Structure formats: C-alpha cells, structure tokens
PDB file of all heavy atoms in Angstrom:
ATOM      1  N   ILE A   1       4.591  -3.582   0.965  1.00  0.00           N
ATOM      2  CA  ILE A   1       3.998  -2.890  -0.166  1.00  0.00           C
ATOM      3  C   ILE A   1       4.879  -1.703  -0.534  1.00  0.00           C
ATOM      4  O   ILE A   1       5.249  -0.921   0.355  1.00  0.00           O
ATOM      5  CB  ILE A   1       2.542  -2.373   0.107  1.00  0.00           C
ATOM      6  CG1 ILE A   1       1.700  -3.568   0.558  1.00  0.00           C
ATOM      7  CG2 ILE A   1       1.993  -1.652  -1.112  1.00  0.00           C
ATOM      8  CD1 ILE A   1       0.322  -3.111   0.980  1.00  0.00           C
ATOM      9  N   VAL A   2       5.204  -1.555  -1.782  1.00  0.00           N
ATOM     10  CA  VAL A   2       5.939  -0.464  -2.293  1.00  0.00           C
ATOM     11  C   VAL A   2       5.235   0.233  -3.356  1.00  0.00           C
ATOM     12  O   VAL A   2       4.640  -0.382  -4.194  1.00  0.00           O
ATOM     13  CB  VAL A   2       7.349  -0.939  -2.767  1.00  0.00           C
ATOM     14  CG1 VAL A   2       7.285  -1.946  -3.853  1.00  0.00           C
ATOM     15  CG2 VAL A   2       8.206   0.247  -3.234  1.00  0.00           C
ATOM     16  N   GLN A   3       5.297   1.566  -3.355  1.00  0.00           N
ATOM     17  CA  GLN A   3       4.746   2.375  -4.470  1.00  0.00           C
ATOM     18  C   GLN A   3       5.816   3.294  -4.925  1.00  0.00           C
ATOM     19  O   GLN A   3       6.205   4.195  -4.237  1.00  0.00           O
ATOM     20  CB  GLN A   3       3.473   3.137  -4.046  1.00  0.00           C
ATOM     21  CG  GLN A   3       2.938   4.031  -5.112  1.00  0.00           C
ATOM     22  CD  GLN A   3       1.566   4.544  -4.811  1.00  0.00           C
ATOM     23  OE1 GLN A   3       0.602   3.824  -4.936  1.00  0.00           O
ATOM     24  NE2 GLN A   3       1.510   5.815  -4.422  1.00  0.00           N
ATOM     25  N   PRO A   4       6.284   3.070  -6.129  1.00  0.00           N
ATOM     26  CA  PRO A   4       7.361   3.958  -6.646  1.00  0.00           C
ATOM     27  C   PRO A   4       6.772   5.297  -7.094  1.00  0.00           C
ATOM     28  O   PRO A   4       5.546   5.438  -7.335  1.00  0.00           O
ATOM     29  CB  PRO A   4       7.878   3.183  -7.936  1.00  0.00           C
ATOM     30  CG  PRO A   4       6.740   2.325  -8.307  1.00  0.00           C
ATOM     31  CD  PRO A   4       5.957   2.011  -7.047  1.00  0.00           C
ATOM     32  N   SER A   5       7.593   6.263  -7.261  1.00  0.00           N
ATOM     33  CA  SER A   5       7.198   7.651  -7.603  1.00  0.00           C
ATOM     34  C   SER A   5       6.503   7.708  -8.958  1.00  0.00           C
ATOM     35  O   SER A   5       5.664   8.530  -9.282  1.00  0.00           O
ATOM     36  CB  SER A   5       8.332   8.611  -7.613  1.00  0.00           C
ATOM     37  OG  SER A   5       9.359   8.164  -8.440  1.00  0.00           O
ATOM     38  N   SER A   6       6.769   6.623  -9.806  1.00  0.00           N
ATOM     39  CA  SER A   6       6.126   6.606 -11.163  1.00  0.00           C
ATOM     40  C   SER A   6       4.659   6.241 -11.083  1.00  0.00           C
ATOM     41  O   SER A   6       3.939   6.476 -12.086  1.00  0.00           O
ATOM     42  CB  SER A   6       6.895   5.625 -12.059  1.00  0.00           C
ATOM     43  OG  SER A   6       6.779   4.299 -11.453  1.00  0.00           O
ATOM     44  N   VAL A   7       4.201   5.697  -9.937  1.00  0.00           N
ATOM     45  CA  VAL A   7       2.793   5.328  -9.783  1.00  0.00           C
ATOM     46  C   VAL A   7       2.007   6.389  -8.939  1.00  0.00           C
ATOM     47  O   VAL A   7       0.853   6.616  -9.174  1.00  0.00           O
ATOM     48  CB  VAL A   7       2.684   3.914  -9.094  1.00  0.00           C
ATOM     49  CG1 VAL A   7       1.245   3.566  -8.808  1.00  0.00           C
ATOM     50  CG2 VAL A   7       3.307   2.882  -9.997  1.00  0.00           C
ATOM     51  N   GLY A   8       2.662   7.023  -8.037  1.00  0.00           N
ATOM     52  CA  GLY A   8       2.026   8.008  -7.145  1.00  0.00           C
ATOM     53  C   GLY A   8       3.026   8.455  -6.067  1.00  0.00           C
ATOM     54  O   GLY A   8       4.232   8.310  -6.312  1.00  0.00           O
ATOM     55  N   SER A   9       2.551   8.987  -4.973  1.00  0.00           N
ATOM     56  CA  SER A   9       3.415   9.360  -3.911  1.00  0.00           C
ATOM     57  C   SER A   9       4.173   8.094  -3.366  1.00  0.00           C
ATOM     58  O   SER A   9       3.556   7.078  -3.049  1.00  0.00           O
ATOM     59  CB  SER A   9       2.625   9.959  -2.698  1.00  0.00           C
ATOM     60  OG  SER A   9       2.052  11.123  -3.110  1.00  0.00           O
ATOM     61  N   PRO A  10       5.534   8.159  -3.420  1.00  0.00           N
ATOM     62  CA  PRO A  10       6.307   6.901  -3.149  1.00  0.00           C
ATOM     63  C   PRO A  10       6.205   6.530  -1.660  1.00  0.00           C
ATOM     64  O   PRO A  10       6.147   7.405  -0.756  1.00  0.00           O
ATOM     65  CB  PRO A  10       7.669   7.313  -3.498  1.00  0.00           C
ATOM     66  CG  PRO A  10       7.749   8.794  -3.461  1.00  0.00           C
ATOM     67  CD  PRO A  10       6.428   9.234  -3.770  1.00  0.00           C
ATOM     68  N   PHE A  11       6.188   5.243  -1.390  1.00  0.00           N
ATOM     69  CA  PHE A  11       6.250   4.707  -0.003  1.00  0.00           C
ATOM     70  C   PHE A  11       6.765   3.290  -0.084  1.00  0.00           C
ATOM     71  O   PHE A  11       6.751   2.652  -1.110  1.00  0.00           O
ATOM     72  CB  PHE A  11       4.963   4.803   0.666  1.00  0.00           C
ATOM     73  CG  PHE A  11       3.811   4.042   0.007  1.00  0.00           C
ATOM     74  CD1 PHE A  11       3.628   2.688   0.247  1.00  0.00           C
ATOM     75  CD2 PHE A  11       2.865   4.674  -0.680  1.00  0.00           C
ATOM     76  CE1 PHE A  11       2.627   1.952  -0.302  1.00  0.00           C
ATOM     77  CE2 PHE A  11       1.787   3.985  -1.295  1.00  0.00           C
ATOM     78  CZ  PHE A  11       1.694   2.629  -1.099  1.00  0.00           C
ATOM     79  N   LEU A  12       7.240   2.857   1.103  1.00  0.00           N
ATOM     80  CA  LEU A  12       7.711   1.474   1.289  1.00  0.00           C
ATOM     81  C   LEU A  12       7.282   1.161   2.724  1.00  0.00           C
ATOM     82  O   LEU A  12       7.821   1.704   3.703  1.00  0.00           O
ATOM     83  CB  LEU A  12       9.209   1.376   1.160  1.00  0.00           C
ATOM     84  CG  LEU A  12       9.862   0.000   1.410  1.00  0.00           C
ATOM     85  CD1 LEU A  12       9.316  -1.026   0.440  1.00  0.00           C
ATOM     86  CD2 LEU A  12      11.405   0.158   1.273  1.00  0.00           C
ATOM     87  N   ILE A  13       6.271   0.305   2.849  1.00  0.00           N
ATOM     88  CA  ILE A  13       5.614  -0.019   4.132  1.00  0.00           C
ATOM     89  C   ILE A  13       5.451  -1.512   4.300  1.00  0.00           C
ATOM     90  O   ILE A  13       5.408  -2.287   3.357  1.00  0.00           O
ATOM     91  CB  ILE A  13       4.270   0.695   4.272  1.00  0.00           C
ATOM     92  CG1 ILE A  13       3.289   0.273   3.167  1.00  0.00           C
ATOM     93  CG2 ILE A  13       4.408   2.214   4.246  1.00  0.00           C
ATOM     94  CD1 ILE A  13       1.894   0.785   3.331  1.00  0.00           C
ATOM     95  N   THR A  14       5.234  -1.938   5.563  1.00  0.00           N
ATOM     96  CA  THR A  14       4.699  -3.209   5.836  1.00  0.00           C
ATOM     97  C   THR A  14       3.339  -2.992   6.510  1.00  0.00           C
ATOM     98  O   THR A  14       3.176  -1.964   7.195  1.00  0.00           O
ATOM     99  CB  THR A  14       5.585  -4.048   6.763  1.00  0.00           C
ATOM    100  OG1 THR A  14       5.719  -3.474   8.029  1.00  0.00           O
ATOM    101  CG2 THR A  14       6.950  -4.311   6.134  1.00  0.00           C
ATOM    102  N   THR A  15       2.405  -3.927   6.244  1.00  0.00           N
ATOM    103  CA  THR A  15       1.064  -3.733   6.753  1.00  0.00           C
ATOM    104  C   THR A  15       0.675  -5.053   7.494  1.00  0.00           C
ATOM    105  O   THR A  15       1.197  -6.101   7.271  1.00  0.00           O
ATOM    106  CB  THR A  15       0.022  -3.509   5.651  1.00  0.00           C
ATOM    107  OG1 THR A  15      -0.020  -4.633   4.762  1.00  0.00           O
ATOM    108  CG2 THR A  15       0.301  -2.219   4.901  1.00  0.00           C
ATOM    109  N   SER A  16      -0.278  -4.863   8.415  1.00  0.00           N
ATOM    110  CA  SER A  16      -0.958  -5.943   9.101  1.00  0.00           C
ATOM    111  C   SER A  16      -2.418  -5.734   8.866  1.00  0.00           C
ATOM    112  O   SER A  16      -2.917  -4.716   9.209  1.00  0.00           O
ATOM    113  CB  SER A  16      -0.654  -5.952  10.576  1.00  0.00           C
ATOM    114  OG  SER A  16       0.527  -6.561  10.936  1.00  0.00           O
ATOM    115  N   GLY A  17      -3.108  -6.682   8.256  1.00  0.00           N
ATOM    116  CA  GLY A  17      -4.536  -6.465   8.004  1.00  0.00           C
ATOM    117  C   GLY A  17      -4.757  -6.456   6.547  1.00  0.00           C
ATOM    118  O   GLY A  17      -3.893  -6.690   5.696  1.00  0.00           O
ATOM    119  N   ARG A  18      -6.013  -6.145   6.191  1.00  0.00           N
ATOM    120  CA  ARG A  18      -6.478  -6.271   4.803  1.00  0.00           C
ATOM    121  C   ARG A  18      -6.215  -5.022   3.984  1.00  0.00           C
ATOM    122  O   ARG A  18      -6.513  -3.872   4.461  1.00  0.00           O
ATOM    123  CB  ARG A  18      -7.994  -6.567   4.868  1.00  0.00           C
ATOM    124  CG  ARG A  18      -8.523  -6.984   3.587  1.00  0.00           C
ATOM    125  CD  ARG A  18     -10.020  -7.382   3.802  1.00  0.00           C
ATOM    126  NE  ARG A  18     -10.611  -7.882   2.634  1.00  0.00           N
ATOM    127  CZ  ARG A  18     -10.589  -9.126   2.199  1.00  0.00           C
ATOM    128  NH1 ARG A  18      -9.999  -9.990   2.934  1.00  0.00           N
ATOM    129  NH2 ARG A  18     -11.164  -9.407   1.099  1.00  0.00           N
ATOM    130  N   VAL A  19      -5.672  -5.154   2.840  1.00  0.00           N
ATOM    131  CA  VAL A  19      -5.463  -4.068   1.916  1.00  0.00           C
ATOM    132  C   VAL A  19      -5.551  -4.705   0.503  1.00  0.00           C
ATOM    133  O   VAL A  19      -5.211  -5.814   0.261  1.00  0.00           O
ATOM    134  CB  VAL A  19      -4.123  -3.391   2.074  1.00  0.00           C
ATOM    135  CG1 VAL A  19      -2.951  -4.288   1.803  1.00  0.00           C
ATOM    136  CG2 VAL A  19      -3.998  -2.175   1.248  1.00  0.00           C
ATOM    137  N   GLY A  20      -6.221  -3.906  -0.452  1.00  0.00           N
ATOM    138  CA  GLY A  20      -6.423  -4.451  -1.772  1.00  0.00           C
ATOM    139  C   GLY A  20      -6.101  -3.407  -2.790  1.00  0.00           C
ATOM    140  O   GLY A  20      -6.249  -2.186  -2.555  1.00  0.00           O
ATOM    141  N   PHE A  21      -5.663  -3.859  -3.968  1.00  0.00           N
ATOM    142  CA  PHE A  21      -5.356  -2.922  -5.031  1.00  0.00           C
ATOM    143  C   PHE A  21      -5.239  -3.749  -6.323  1.00  0.00           C
ATOM    144  O   PHE A  21      -5.056  -4.941  -6.309  1.00  0.00           O
ATOM    145  CB  PHE A  21      -4.162  -2.066  -4.814  1.00  0.00           C
ATOM    146  CG  PHE A  21      -2.909  -2.878  -4.440  1.00  0.00           C
ATOM    147  CD1 PHE A  21      -2.047  -3.266  -5.435  1.00  0.00           C
ATOM    148  CD2 PHE A  21      -2.623  -3.185  -3.139  1.00  0.00           C
ATOM    149  CE1 PHE A  21      -0.886  -4.044  -5.102  1.00  0.00           C
ATOM    150  CE2 PHE A  21      -1.504  -3.916  -2.815  1.00  0.00           C
ATOM    151  CZ  PHE A  21      -0.635  -4.305  -3.808  1.00  0.00           C
ATOM    152  N   VAL A  22      -5.364  -3.036  -7.431  1.00  0.00           N
ATOM    153  CA  VAL A  22      -5.100  -3.606  -8.766  1.00  0.00           C
ATOM    154  C   VAL A  22      -3.653  -3.426  -9.086  1.00  0.00           C
ATOM    155  O   VAL A  22      -3.045  -2.312  -8.776  1.00  0.00           O
ATOM    156  CB  VAL A  22      -6.030  -3.008  -9.811  1.00  0.00           C
ATOM    157  CG1 VAL A  22      -5.638  -3.507 -11.203  1.00  0.00           C
ATOM    158  CG2 VAL A  22      -7.450  -3.236  -9.509  1.00  0.00           C
ATOM    159  N   LEU A  23      -2.958  -4.407  -9.534  1.00  0.00           N
ATOM    160  CA  LEU A  23      -1.527  -4.340  -9.841  1.00  0.00           C
ATOM    161  C   LEU A  23      -1.238  -3.095 -10.689  1.00  0.00           C
ATOM    162  O   LEU A  23      -1.951  -2.804 -11.648  1.00  0.00           O
ATOM    163  CB  LEU A  23      -1.071  -5.564 -10.537  1.00  0.00           C
ATOM    164  CG  LEU A  23      -1.178  -6.882  -9.772  1.00  0.00           C
ATOM    165  CD1 LEU A  23      -0.591  -7.939 -10.590  1.00  0.00           C
ATOM    166  CD2 LEU A  23      -0.567  -6.774  -8.454  1.00  0.00           C
ATOM    167  N   ASN A  24      -0.148  -2.437 -10.354  1.00  0.00           N
ATOM    168  CA  ASN A  24       0.311  -1.240 -11.072  1.00  0.00           C
ATOM    169  C   ASN A  24      -0.593  -0.060 -10.979  1.00  0.00           C
ATOM    170  O   ASN A  24      -0.580   0.828 -11.851  1.00  0.00           O
ATOM    171  CB  ASN A  24       0.720  -1.555 -12.515  1.00  0.00           C
ATOM    172  CG  ASN A  24       1.756  -2.608 -12.584  1.00  0.00           C
ATOM    173  OD1 ASN A  24       2.812  -2.496 -11.912  1.00  0.00           O
ATOM    174  ND2 ASN A  24       1.540  -3.655 -13.361  1.00  0.00           N
ATOM    175  N   GLN A  25      -1.501  -0.082 -10.001  1.00  0.00           N
ATOM    176  CA  GLN A  25      -2.430   1.050  -9.725  1.00  0.00           C
ATOM    177  C   GLN A  25      -2.280   1.445  -8.265  1.00  0.00           C
ATOM    178  O   GLN A  25      -1.929   0.640  -7.465  1.00  0.00           O
ATOM    179  CB  GLN A  25      -3.812   0.571  -9.995  1.00  0.00           C
ATOM    180  CG  GLN A  25      -4.105   0.165 -11.435  1.00  0.00           C
ATOM    181  CD  GLN A  25      -3.992   1.296 -12.420  1.00  0.00           C
ATOM    182  OE1 GLN A  25      -4.406   2.409 -12.143  1.00  0.00           O
ATOM    183  NE2 GLN A  25      -3.367   1.034 -13.573  1.00  0.00           N
ATOM    184  N   PRO A  26      -2.568   2.693  -7.909  1.00  0.00           N
ATOM    185  CA  PRO A  26      -2.561   3.065  -6.533  1.00  0.00           C
ATOM    186  C   PRO A  26      -3.599   2.303  -5.719  1.00  0.00           C
ATOM    187  O   PRO A  26      -4.538   1.775  -6.262  1.00  0.00           O
ATOM    188  CB  PRO A  26      -2.949   4.556  -6.575  1.00  0.00           C
ATOM    189  CG  PRO A  26      -2.613   4.995  -7.966  1.00  0.00           C
ATOM    190  CD  PRO A  26      -2.872   3.804  -8.841  1.00  0.00           C
ATOM    191  N   ILE A  27      -3.335   2.138  -4.421  1.00  0.00           N
ATOM    192  CA  ILE A  27      -4.241   1.453  -3.552  1.00  0.00           C
ATOM    193  C   ILE A  27      -5.574   2.168  -3.561  1.00  0.00           C
ATOM    194  O   ILE A  27      -5.678   3.316  -3.431  1.00  0.00           O
ATOM    195  CB  ILE A  27      -3.678   1.356  -2.122  1.00  0.00           C
ATOM    196  CG1 ILE A  27      -2.424   0.502  -2.115  1.00  0.00           C
ATOM    197  CG2 ILE A  27      -4.743   0.858  -1.124  1.00  0.00           C
ATOM    198  CD1 ILE A  27      -1.690   0.416  -0.814  1.00  0.00           C
ATOM    199  N   ASP A  28      -6.674   1.369  -3.849  1.00  0.00           N
ATOM    200  CA  ASP A  28      -7.960   2.017  -4.076  1.00  0.00           C
ATOM    201  C   ASP A  28      -8.997   1.482  -3.097  1.00  0.00           C
ATOM    202  O   ASP A  28     -10.193   1.751  -3.270  1.00  0.00           O
ATOM    203  CB  ASP A  28      -8.438   1.667  -5.502  1.00  0.00           C
ATOM    204  CG  ASP A  28      -8.585   0.170  -5.801  1.00  0.00           C
ATOM    205  OD1 ASP A  28      -8.142  -0.615  -4.980  1.00  0.00           O
ATOM    206  OD2 ASP A  28      -9.140  -0.114  -6.863  1.00  0.00           O
ATOM    207  N   GLN A  29      -8.628   0.793  -2.010  1.00  0.00           N
ATOM    208  CA  GLN A  29      -9.527   0.368  -1.032  1.00  0.00           C
ATOM    209  C   GLN A  29      -9.039   0.856   0.339  1.00  0.00           C
ATOM    210  O   GLN A  29      -7.796   0.946   0.553  1.00  0.00           O
ATOM    211  CB  GLN A  29      -9.672  -1.153  -0.949  1.00  0.00           C
ATOM    212  CG  GLN A  29     -10.297  -1.704  -2.256  1.00  0.00           C
ATOM    213  CD  GLN A  29     -10.390  -3.259  -2.107  1.00  0.00           C
ATOM    214  OE1 GLN A  29      -9.832  -3.902  -1.266  1.00  0.00           O
ATOM    215  NE2 GLN A  29     -11.202  -3.829  -3.029  1.00  0.00           N
ATOM    216  N   PRO A  30      -9.928   1.103   1.292  1.00  0.00           N
ATOM    217  CA  PRO A  30      -9.489   1.477   2.630  1.00  0.00           C
ATOM    218  C   PRO A  30      -8.584   0.412   3.227  1.00  0.00           C
ATOM    219  O   PRO A  30      -8.842  -0.807   3.037  1.00  0.00           O
ATOM    220  CB  PRO A  30     -10.784   1.638   3.392  1.00  0.00           C
ATOM    221  CG  PRO A  30     -11.879   1.686   2.416  1.00  0.00           C
ATOM    222  CD  PRO A  30     -11.372   0.978   1.186  1.00  0.00           C
ATOM    223  N   LEU A  31      -7.567   0.804   3.975  1.00  0.00           N
ATOM    224  CA  LEU A  31      -6.710  -0.105   4.722  1.00  0.00           C
ATOM    225  C   LEU A  31      -7.442  -0.604   5.953  1.00  0.00           C
ATOM    226  O   LEU A  31      -7.901   0.172   6.735  1.00  0.00           O
ATOM    227  CB  LEU A  31      -5.400   0.592   5.105  1.00  0.00           C
ATOM    228  CG  LEU A  31      -4.417  -0.245   5.890  1.00  0.00           C
ATOM    229  CD1 LEU A  31      -3.894  -1.384   5.027  1.00  0.00           C
ATOM    230  CD2 LEU A  31      -3.266   0.656   6.313  1.00  0.00           C
ATOM    231  N   ARG A  32      -7.769  -1.905   5.974  1.00  0.00           N
ATOM    232  CA  ARG A  32      -8.464  -2.489   7.131  1.00  0.00           C
ATOM    233  C   ARG A  32      -7.429  -3.258   7.896  1.00  0.00           C
ATOM    234  O   ARG A  32      -7.238  -4.408   7.778  1.00  0.00           O
ATOM    235  CB  ARG A  32      -9.552  -3.478   6.678  1.00  0.00           C
ATOM    236  CG  ARG A  32     -10.713  -2.718   6.055  1.00  0.00           C
ATOM    237  CD  ARG A  32     -11.790  -3.689   5.534  1.00  0.00           C
ATOM    238  NE  ARG A  32     -12.933  -3.029   5.137  1.00  0.00           N
ATOM    239  CZ  ARG A  32     -13.068  -2.438   3.913  1.00  0.00           C
ATOM    240  NH1 ARG A  32     -12.058  -2.357   3.094  1.00  0.00           N
ATOM    241  NH2 ARG A  32     -14.196  -1.834   3.577  1.00  0.00           N
ATOM    242  N   GLY A  33      -6.771  -2.509   8.742  1.00  0.00           N
ATOM    243  CA  GLY A  33      -5.643  -3.012   9.537  1.00  0.00           C
ATOM    244  C   GLY A  33      -4.814  -1.800   9.843  1.00  0.00           C
ATOM    245  O   GLY A  33      -5.300  -0.721  10.139  1.00  0.00           O
ATOM    246  N   HIS A  34      -3.501  -1.957   9.792  1.00  0.00           N
ATOM    247  CA  HIS A  34      -2.631  -0.782   9.978  1.00  0.00           C
ATOM    248  C   HIS A  34      -1.280  -0.954   9.321  1.00  0.00           C
ATOM    249  O   HIS A  34      -0.882  -1.980   8.938  1.00  0.00           O
ATOM    250  CB  HIS A  34      -2.447  -0.566  11.509  1.00  0.00           C
ATOM    251  CG  HIS A  34      -1.711  -1.664  12.184  1.00  0.00           C
ATOM    252  ND1 HIS A  34      -2.260  -2.802  12.567  1.00  0.00           N
ATOM    253  CD2 HIS A  34      -0.448  -1.743  12.574  1.00  0.00           C
ATOM    254  CE1 HIS A  34      -1.366  -3.560  13.168  1.00  0.00           C
ATOM    255  NE2 HIS A  34      -0.210  -2.958  13.179  1.00  0.00           N
ATOM    256  N   ILE A  35      -0.625   0.174   9.208  1.00  0.00           N
ATOM    257  CA  ILE A  35       0.778   0.181   8.702  1.00  0.00           C
ATOM    258  C   ILE A  35       1.656  -0.200   9.885  1.00  0.00           C
ATOM    259  O   ILE A  35       1.642   0.448  10.920  1.00  0.00           O
ATOM    260  CB  ILE A  35       1.175   1.534   8.162  1.00  0.00           C
ATOM    261  CG1 ILE A  35       0.287   1.881   6.965  1.00  0.00           C
ATOM    262  CG2 ILE A  35       2.614   1.601   7.861  1.00  0.00           C
ATOM    263  CD1 ILE A  35       0.408   3.282   6.398  1.00  0.00           C
ATOM    264  N   SER A  36       2.346  -1.295   9.730  1.00  0.00           N
ATOM    265  CA  SER A  36       3.209  -1.819  10.846  1.00  0.00           C
ATOM    266  C   SER A  36       4.519  -1.043  10.834  1.00  0.00           C
ATOM    267  O   SER A  36       5.036  -0.752  11.905  1.00  0.00           O
ATOM    268  CB  SER A  36       3.521  -3.276  10.672  1.00  0.00           C
ATOM    269  OG  SER A  36       2.338  -4.058  10.528  1.00  0.00           O
ATOM    270  N   HIS A  37       5.075  -0.763   9.649  1.00  0.00           N
ATOM    271  CA  HIS A  37       6.370  -0.088   9.589  1.00  0.00           C
ATOM    272  C   HIS A  37       6.427   0.818   8.325  1.00  0.00           C
ATOM    273  O   HIS A  37       6.017   0.362   7.236  1.00  0.00           O
ATOM    274  CB  HIS A  37       7.514  -1.135   9.423  1.00  0.00           C
ATOM    275  CG  HIS A  37       7.573  -2.079  10.606  1.00  0.00           C
ATOM    276  ND1 HIS A  37       8.284  -1.734  11.687  1.00  0.00           N
ATOM    277  CD2 HIS A  37       7.154  -3.313  10.702  1.00  0.00           C
ATOM    278  CE1 HIS A  37       8.204  -2.783  12.546  1.00  0.00           C
ATOM    279  NE2 HIS A  37       7.523  -3.772  11.957  1.00  0.00           N
ATOM    280  N   ASP A  38       6.848   2.024   8.487  1.00  0.00           N
ATOM    281  CA  ASP A  38       7.178   2.935   7.414  1.00  0.00           C
ATOM    282  C   ASP A  38       8.620   2.798   7.240  1.00  0.00           C
ATOM    283  O   ASP A  38       9.476   3.392   7.960  1.00  0.00           O
ATOM    284  CB  ASP A  38       6.779   4.363   7.749  1.00  0.00           C
ATOM    285  CG  ASP A  38       7.132   5.365   6.739  1.00  0.00           C
ATOM    286  OD1 ASP A  38       7.967   5.037   5.829  1.00  0.00           O
ATOM    287  OD2 ASP A  38       6.544   6.474   6.686  1.00  0.00           O
ATOM    288  N   ILE A  39       9.077   1.893   6.362  1.00  0.00           N
ATOM    289  CA  ILE A  39      10.461   1.488   6.215  1.00  0.00           C
ATOM    290  C   ILE A  39      11.360   2.646   5.893  1.00  0.00           C
ATOM    291  O   ILE A  39      12.455   2.854   6.414  1.00  0.00           O
ATOM    292  CB  ILE A  39      10.526   0.378   5.208  1.00  0.00           C
ATOM    293  CG1 ILE A  39       9.800  -0.880   5.738  1.00  0.00           C
ATOM    294  CG2 ILE A  39      12.026   0.060   4.897  1.00  0.00           C
ATOM    295  CD1 ILE A  39       9.639  -2.000   4.736  1.00  0.00           C
TER     296      ILE A  39
END
C-alpha cells in the first residue's frame, strides 16, 4: 500500500491482514492485522 503526499501523510508499506479503503482516499478502516514492512 502506498499513500503519496498528495493524498495525506506519505507512506509505503506492506501489510498482513485486513485493511480497507476507498480508492484515492486515505485508509478509513482500522487495520486488522499488522504492517509487515515500512519500506
């Protein structure tokens, strides 16, 4: 999952578990799992 600075606080991560969001919007649901890697 990548979030560019144009959408919000930038990040580039891999996750394990459930995460949901609407395309081109910030993640709006709790992460049910974990961030595997902060790339």
Side-chain angles (χ1 to χ4, degrees):
I1 303 173
V2 57
Q3 178 166 282
S5 57
S6 61
V7 174
S9 296
F11 61 80
L12 179 59
I13 60 174
T14 63
T15 61
S16 278
R18 192 174 182 89
V19 63
F21 54 91
V22 174
L23 299 182
N24 299 313
Q25 300 293 319
I27 293 173
D28 61 351
Q29 293 182 346
L31 180 65
R32 289 178 173 78
H34 67 278
I35 295 172
S36 304
H37 299 277
D38 178 340
I39 297 171

